[in-house]
Amino acid sequence: MTADTYLGEEKVVFGFDLGTTQTAVSYVHLQDSISPHVRLVTKWPGQEDVSGDCKLPTLVRYNEHGHPVSYGAEALENPSGEEGPLARWFKLHLHPASMKTNAGAALEIPPLPSGVTLKQVYTHWLMYIYAHATSFFREQSLDGPTIWDRVKDRVEIILAIPNGWDLSQQAFLRDVVVLAGRSEASVHYGLLHTDGDRWLKPGMKFCVLDAGGSTVDTTLYKCAAITPKLELEEVTASDCVQAGSVFVDRDAEKMLRLKLANSKKRKFDGSPDASVIAFGRARDNDPTVNISKGRITLTSEEVAMTFQNAIFDIGESFQHVLERAKGECESLLLVGGFSESPHLRKVLREKNDQRGMRTISIDDGTKKAAAEGAALWYLRQTVVARASRAHFGTQKAANYDANDSRHKERVSDSYVDDDGVTRIGPHFEVWCEKHKVIRSNEPQTFYYTQRWPHTSDMVQRLASPYEMSVYACDEPKAPYFMFDRSGLRTDDHLVYGMRRVCTISADMSALRGSMTLSTSASGIKFYEIPFEVNMFFGQTALSAELCWRENGVEKRTGMKVIPDSLL
């Protein structure tokens, strides 16, 4: 029995990578006591002549009534001739503001078709690719229809997402997918397709740069162990920037006022040779701008300029990761569709050669790293420690200190609490500092006391859910006070860099046995319940549990994580 042998009930797992410009799906049929093999869906409607290419354009065409009529390559070619708007690059509508970059700040995101919501577009697209992925499974598997009838109710879906997405983006997709971190999907794919077992050694630090259509994710790992199981730890927080291949297209459009074909950015290697693009009729000529017989000639410098902004942001993002890791990195592993660009590879390789760093790339343009890697992530889950991408915490009141200059400056925020003590707040209690590395199974524990006036109806109070808001700060240093001086406590009055991520909620009725009636030094009576909150930051999604003691016995219950609504 090998370490890769699956033990468990029979099921099928699909890995989805819904890219900005291209989508791909992988799958694995899991059977008890059998070693699993990840496969890719390599046949899509409208692409029957493209053998072995797993990618299809992320496009949905709608009619005038807002109903989807075609998808993928068929939506682009529109063989039916039915007129209607295209939903394209709709993934960009989900990107949070924290991912804006120099290259992405001015990008005009194509609007959605009139009357169609973003959730509807995603629902239509997921339904389409799932239907064809399951059809492909039935057709390509030995005795596929029989197997599918047996396992169709035991299907799991893994969706690879950009590192920069938060709980709000995850919640948007949660109804139909099980989420996995994108960088982890990419590292599994990269190690498999570069014979990672040959060059990866315990203690080695290496970086994975996943360059896709809209985002570029950079994550630095340390190999903690090879045997009995591969274990990887994030060295510092990953970086995610909007600097993918669509920004090369954007800058090309600015230069030419027409769209460059996708093949142009992937073939350009930075050589001094001129590039020729066919775009018109043979009689179209304008020698003043190098147009001859329907073809425009671009110099090498002109084509390189279309890459300039994206490559700058990629280089800056990579450099930030290296600086946080004090430059300790032996190899850079390039994955993702944009990483197939010879020019991008050349620029990164030349820079890495100066650093004494090896650059490893994968030469298989028919595959999509995150799709195949998502299924591999499900099987292996080798990342055992992750780094926080922001400061995370909650709001908390502090005992007022007249000698604390911060308190004196905000004395208007002070108040007398139910126990008669003067407090000030809310201030930002940091649970997890930015870039801190946390193991996936290790909770961070925080201590709280809930107080009520002794006149309270405690049966009614405890019947209501207890809620805590979770906030994140993207700035290098977390602030002390969370809100501005307006006195308002709404999200639009959070200080710069702060944002609310989610709310965690728990049923407090079970804690009635640990409640006590206390009296303050000034004679004020009040009810109080001490409890602990365990936060798990080292997993692919935030989780929490509530803990308390009753008659000396520790008890705990799960807390519900309620992400803030995205739309």
Side-chain angles (χ1 to χ4, degrees):
M1 186 92 46
T2 67
D4 292 332
T5 300
Y6 171 75
L7 299 175
E9 69 172 350
E10 184 181 20
K11 67 177 70 173
V12 175
V13 178
F14 288 96
F16 287 0
D17 178 20
L18 312 182
T20 301
T21 58
Q22 295 177 317
T23 289
V25 178
S26 66
Y27 66 91
V28 58
H29 178 203
L30 298 177
Q31 304 172 78
D32 188 49
S33 302
I34 295 178
S35 181
H37 297 282
V38 176
R39 293 177 170 83
L40 290 163
V41 176
T42 56
K43 184 179 179 182
W44 296 96
Q47 298 181 193
E48 289 80 2
D49 296 334
V50 185
S51 177
D53 193 347
C54 72
K55 304 175 186 178
L56 74 157
T58 307
L59 297 169
V60 184
R61 185 176 293 277
Y62 290 84
N63 61 20
E64 60 182 4
H65 303 295
H67 299 140
V69 294
S70 55
Y71 303 84
E74 291 184 332
L76 184 63
E77 297 170 1
N78 196 23
S80 66
E82 185 166 358
E83 295 296 328
L86 270 176
R88 67 186 184 99
W89 294 8
F90 49 85
K91 184 177 181 178
L92 297 179
H93 289 275
L94 276 178
H95 287 348
S98 58
M99 286 173 54
K100 300 300 182 186
T101 66
N102 293 333
L107 179 68
E108 294 184 7
I109 302 176
L112 297 175
S114 178
V116 181
T117 67
L118 182 60
K119 186 163 288 186
Q120 287 175 320
V121 175
Y122 262 96
T123 299
H124 295 151
W125 184 241
L126 283 168
M127 290 175 62
Y128 170 76
I129 63 174
Y130 180 73
H132 284 281
T134 56
S135 175
F136 184 87
F137 174 85
R138 292 193 298 270
E139 293 173 2
Q140 298 297 318
S141 302
L142 182 64
D143 202 18
T146 301
I147 295 174
W148 183 251
D149 287 341
R150 193 167 64 236
V151 303
K152 62 185 179 182
D153 294 328
R154 297 192 299 276
V155 172
E156 295 188 27
I157 296 175
I158 310 298
L159 181 64
I161 65 171
N163 287 340
W165 281 15
D166 278 332
L167 290 177
S168 299
Q169 287 77 27
Q170 294 179 12
F172 182 85
L173 303 167
R174 192 177 298 277
D175 291 342
V176 288
V177 294
V178 176
L179 297 175
R182 177 178 180 134
S183 65
E184 295 183 23
S186 298
V187 72
H188 284 295
Y189 172 86
L191 292 178
L192 176 66
H193 289 282
T194 60
D195 294 326
D197 54 340
R198 294 185 180 182
W199 58 267
L200 190 60
K201 307 297 179 186
M204 177 182 290
K205 294 181 181 179
F206 68 98
C207 208
V208 177
L209 192 151
D210 182 1
S214 62
T215 59
V216 177
D217 295 322
T218 306
T219 308
L220 185 59
Y221 294 99
K222 176 183 177 181
C223 178
I226 295 289
T227 58
K229 177 186 175 182
L230 176 63
E231 292 188 357
L232 303 177
E233 299 176 352
E234 289 188 13
V235 176
T236 184
S238 57
D239 222 56
C240 182
V241 293
Q242 293 193 82
S245 59
V246 296
F247 298 100
V248 177
D249 288 345
R250 185 273 314 269
D251 288 346
E253 289 175 4
K254 286 182 177 179
M255 178 189 295
L256 302 173
R257 297 186 180 277
L258 56 84
K259 297 177 181 177
L260 280 173
N262 285 336
S263 61
K264 177 55 56 181
K265 61 177 178 287
R266 293 174 63 176
K267 289 181 179 178
F268 177 65
D269 60 3
S271 69
D273 298 335
S275 298
V276 179
I277 304 171
F279 73 96
R281 298 163 295 182
R283 65 188 185 200
D284 292 328
N285 297 279
D286 187 347
T288 62
V289 289
N290 293 330
I291 295 177
S292 175
K293 297 182 179 180
R295 296 185 176 189
I296 184 170
T297 301
L298 301 178
T299 66
S300 174
E301 291 78 11
E302 287 175 323
V303 179
M305 285 180 61
T306 66
F307 286 80
Q308 183 172 288
N309 288 328
I311 288 180
F312 176 83
D313 282 338
I314 292 171
E316 287 283 288
S317 176
F318 183 35
Q319 183 62 31
H320 291 159
V321 172
L322 291 179
E323 289 174 354
R324 293 199 299 269
K326 299 179 181 179
E328 297 181 7
C329 180
E330 296 183 36
S331 300
L332 174 65
L333 180 58
L334 297 177
V335 298
F338 190 23
S339 74
E340 297 162 19
S341 160
H343 183 51
L344 177 60
R345 288 186 182 184
K346 180 181 178 182
V347 172
L348 293 176
R349 184 172 288 111
E350 289 176 349
K351 188 67 174 179
N352 288 339
D353 287 345
Q354 297 173 10
R355 298 183 175 114
M357 186 187 304
R358 175 172 48 176
T359 303
I360 303 171
S361 56
I362 301 170
D363 293 311
D364 193 343
T366 64
K367 293 188 176 182
K368 214 167 187 296
E372 185 175 351
L376 292 169
W377 171 90
Y378 180 90
L379 294 173
R380 300 179 180 180
Q381 299 192 29
T382 60
V383 179
V384 297
R386 298 175 178 86
S388 175
R389 293 189 296 273
H391 300 286
F392 287 94
T394 191
Q395 52 182 319
K396 186 179 181 180
N399 290 350
Y400 182 78
D401 182 358
N403 296 318
D404 190 324
S405 60
R406 297 172 300 182
H407 290 192
K408 289 191 293 184
E409 291 174 1
R410 301 281 287 262
V411 67
S412 60
D413 291 335
S414 63
Y415 62 95
V416 178
D417 210 343
D418 293 328
D419 59 356
V421 176
T422 300
R423 294 188 168 88
I424 189 169
H427 73 88
F428 184 43
E429 181 185 44
V430 177
W431 284 344
C432 178
E433 293 182 348
K434 190 173 184 177
H435 307 315
K436 182 178 180 180
V437 177
I438 305 172
R439 295 189 70 84
S440 58
N441 59 349
E442 291 181 354
Q444 308 293 301
T445 302
F446 306 95
Y447 302 90
Y448 298 97
T449 300
Q450 185 75 355
R451 302 179 184 90
W452 300 269
H454 78 284
T455 56
S456 300
D457 182 347
M458 293 310 299
V459 174
Q460 181 178 355
R461 288 290 185 101
L462 293 178
S464 302
Y466 173 73
E467 295 184 345
M468 298 177 72
S469 292
V470 180
Y471 296 87
C473 176
D474 298 306
E475 295 299 295
K477 184 178 179 180
Y480 182 77
F481 286 108
M482 297 178 53
F483 296 95
D484 59 28
R485 296 175 180 270
S486 66
L488 300 175
R489 300 292 180 259
T490 55
D491 288 353
D492 55 341
H493 286 277
L494 288 166
V495 298
Y496 181 79
M498 290 287 299
R499 53 190 168 87
R500 186 164 61 170
V501 176
C502 66
T503 300
I504 54 176
S505 173
D507 180 3
M508 294 281 283
S509 60
L511 278 67
R512 187 178 294 112
S514 63
M515 181 178 64
T516 60
L517 180 61
S518 302
T519 304
S520 70
S522 57
I524 297 177
K525 292 184 178 181
F526 60 95
Y527 288 108
E528 66 177 355
I529 297 179
F531 59 92
E532 303 169 8
V533 174
N534 285 341
M535 301 296 301
F536 294 85
F537 294 102
Q539 303 173 351
T540 54
L542 188 70
S543 62
E545 62 181 10
L546 187 72
C547 305
W548 71 98
R549 288 191 174 275
E550 188 174 327
N551 298 324
V553 179
E554 183 179 83
K555 298 186 177 183
R556 61 185 63 201
T557 184
M559 300 188 76
K560 186 177 181 181
V561 178
I562 309 169
D564 273 18
S565 176
L566 182 67
L567 297 175

